[in-house]
mmCIF file of all heavy atoms in Angstrom:
data_model
loop_
_atom_site.group_PDB
_atom_site.id
_atom_site.type_symbol
_atom_site.label_atom_id
_atom_site.label_comp_id
_atom_site.label_asym_id
_atom_site.label_seq_id
_atom_site.Cartn_x
_atom_site.Cartn_y
_atom_site.Cartn_z
ATOM 1 N N ILE A 272 -73.938 -20.106 78.855
ATOM 2 C CA ILE A 272 -74.499 -19.364 79.989
ATOM 3 C C ILE A 272 -73.614 -18.178 80.353
ATOM 4 O O ILE A 272 -74.100 -17.064 80.527
ATOM 5 C CB ILE A 272 -74.704 -20.286 81.203
ATOM 6 C CG1 ILE A 272 -75.735 -21.363 80.864
ATOM 7 C CG2 ILE A 272 -75.167 -19.482 82.423
ATOM 8 C CD1 ILE A 272 -75.846 -22.465 81.894
ATOM 9 N N ILE A 294 -73.683 -26.861 76.936
ATOM 10 C CA ILE A 294 -74.018 -27.467 78.234
ATOM 11 C C ILE A 294 -74.811 -28.761 78.087
ATOM 12 O O ILE A 294 -75.424 -29.235 79.047
ATOM 13 C CB ILE A 294 -74.778 -26.479 79.136
ATOM 14 C CG1 ILE A 294 -76.119 -26.084 78.518
ATOM 15 C CG2 ILE A 294 -73.923 -25.255 79.423
ATOM 16 C CD1 ILE A 294 -77.039 -25.376 79.484
ATOM 17 N N LYS A 296 -74.254 -31.823 78.228
ATOM 18 C CA LYS A 296 -74.003 -32.910 79.179
ATOM 19 C C LYS A 296 -74.192 -32.488 80.634
ATOM 20 O O LYS A 296 -73.910 -33.252 81.540
ATOM 21 C CB LYS A 296 -72.608 -33.461 78.959
ATOM 22 C CG LYS A 296 -72.451 -34.084 77.585
ATOM 23 C CD LYS A 296 -71.074 -34.603 77.330
ATOM 24 C CE LYS A 296 -71.043 -35.160 75.917
ATOM 25 N NZ LYS A 296 -69.736 -35.567 75.507
ATOM 26 N N SER A 297 -74.683 -31.290 80.862
ATOM 27 C CA SER A 297 -74.885 -30.797 82.225
ATOM 28 C C SER A 297 -76.182 -31.331 82.796
ATOM 29 O O SER A 297 -77.211 -31.382 82.113
ATOM 30 C CB SER A 297 -74.915 -29.267 82.241
ATOM 31 O OG SER A 297 -73.690 -28.760 81.777
ATOM 32 N N ASP A 298 -76.130 -31.721 84.061
ATOM 33 C CA ASP A 298 -77.311 -32.272 84.725
ATOM 34 C C ASP A 298 -78.237 -31.200 85.276
ATOM 35 O O ASP A 298 -79.451 -31.340 85.223
ATOM 36 C CB ASP A 298 -76.887 -33.196 85.876
ATOM 37 C CG ASP A 298 -76.226 -34.466 85.365
ATOM 38 O OD1 ASP A 298 -76.560 -34.905 84.257
ATOM 39 O OD2 ASP A 298 -75.371 -35.008 86.083
ATOM 40 N N ASN A 299 -77.678 -30.128 85.830
ATOM 41 C CA ASN A 299 -78.503 -29.138 86.496
ATOM 42 C C ASN A 299 -78.320 -27.765 85.857
ATOM 43 O O ASN A 299 -77.487 -26.963 86.286
ATOM 44 C CB ASN A 299 -78.176 -29.092 87.988
ATOM 45 C CG ASN A 299 -79.246 -28.366 88.768
ATOM 46 O OD1 ASN A 299 -79.902 -27.465 88.251
ATOM 47 N ND2 ASN A 299 -79.415 -28.753 90.015
ATOM 48 N N VAL A 300 -79.117 -27.493 84.852
ATOM 49 C CA VAL A 300 -79.030 -26.251 84.088
ATOM 50 C C VAL A 300 -79.342 -25.036 84.961
ATOM 51 O O VAL A 300 -78.641 -24.025 84.914
ATOM 52 C CB VAL A 300 -79.956 -26.298 82.859
ATOM 53 C CG1 VAL A 300 -80.017 -24.957 82.165
ATOM 54 C CG2 VAL A 300 -79.500 -27.387 81.902
ATOM 55 N N GLU A 301 -80.385 -25.157 85.773
ATOM 56 C CA GLU A 301 -80.760 -24.014 86.611
ATOM 57 C C GLU A 301 -79.664 -23.661 87.608
ATOM 58 O O GLU A 301 -79.404 -22.484 87.870
ATOM 59 C CB GLU A 301 -82.082 -24.291 87.330
ATOM 60 C CG GLU A 301 -83.252 -24.229 86.366
ATOM 61 C CD GLU A 301 -84.588 -24.364 87.065
ATOM 62 O OE1 GLU A 301 -84.723 -23.881 88.204
ATOM 63 O OE2 GLU A 301 -85.495 -24.946 86.444
ATOM 64 N N GLU A 302 -78.981 -24.665 88.133
ATOM 65 C CA GLU A 302 -77.862 -24.402 89.055
ATOM 66 C C GLU A 302 -76.734 -23.665 88.335
ATOM 67 O O GLU A 302 -76.145 -22.726 88.874
ATOM 68 C CB GLU A 302 -77.344 -25.718 89.645
ATOM 69 C CG GLU A 302 -76.250 -25.539 90.675
ATOM 70 C CD GLU A 302 -75.797 -26.866 91.250
ATOM 71 O OE1 GLU A 302 -76.652 -27.687 91.595
ATOM 72 O OE2 GLU A 302 -74.563 -27.060 91.342
ATOM 73 N N LEU A 303 -76.440 -24.078 87.104
ATOM 74 C CA LEU A 303 -75.414 -23.390 86.313
ATOM 75 C C LEU A 303 -75.803 -21.937 86.047
ATOM 76 O O LEU A 303 -74.972 -21.039 86.120
ATOM 77 C CB LEU A 303 -75.188 -24.104 84.981
ATOM 78 C CG LEU A 303 -74.379 -25.382 85.003
ATOM 79 C CD1 LEU A 303 -74.428 -26.066 83.631
ATOM 80 C CD2 LEU A 303 -72.947 -25.102 85.405
ATOM 81 N N CYS A 304 -77.059 -21.714 85.750
ATOM 82 C CA CYS A 304 -77.538 -20.353 85.502
ATOM 83 C C CYS A 304 -77.409 -19.495 86.760
ATOM 84 O O CYS A 304 -76.965 -18.349 86.688
ATOM 85 C CB CYS A 304 -78.986 -20.375 85.016
ATOM 86 S SG CYS A 304 -79.199 -21.079 83.362
ATOM 87 N N ARG A 305 -77.780 -20.056 87.911
ATOM 88 C CA ARG A 305 -77.642 -19.307 89.169
ATOM 89 C C ARG A 305 -76.172 -19.005 89.461
ATOM 90 O O ARG A 305 -75.830 -17.918 89.902
ATOM 91 C CB ARG A 305 -78.271 -20.083 90.331
ATOM 92 C CG ARG A 305 -79.771 -19.898 90.429
ATOM 93 C CD ARG A 305 -80.323 -20.435 91.749
ATOM 94 N NE ARG A 305 -80.210 -21.885 91.862
ATOM 95 C CZ ARG A 305 -81.055 -22.757 91.317
ATOM 96 N NH1 ARG A 305 -82.077 -22.326 90.622
ATOM 97 N NH2 ARG A 305 -80.878 -24.041 91.467
#
Side-chain angles (χ1 to χ4, degrees):
I272 296 170
I294 63 167
K296 297 178 182 174
S297 299
D298 291 331
N299 195 330
V300 172
E301 287 186 34
E302 184 179 314
L303 283 172
C304 291
R305 278 192 293 279

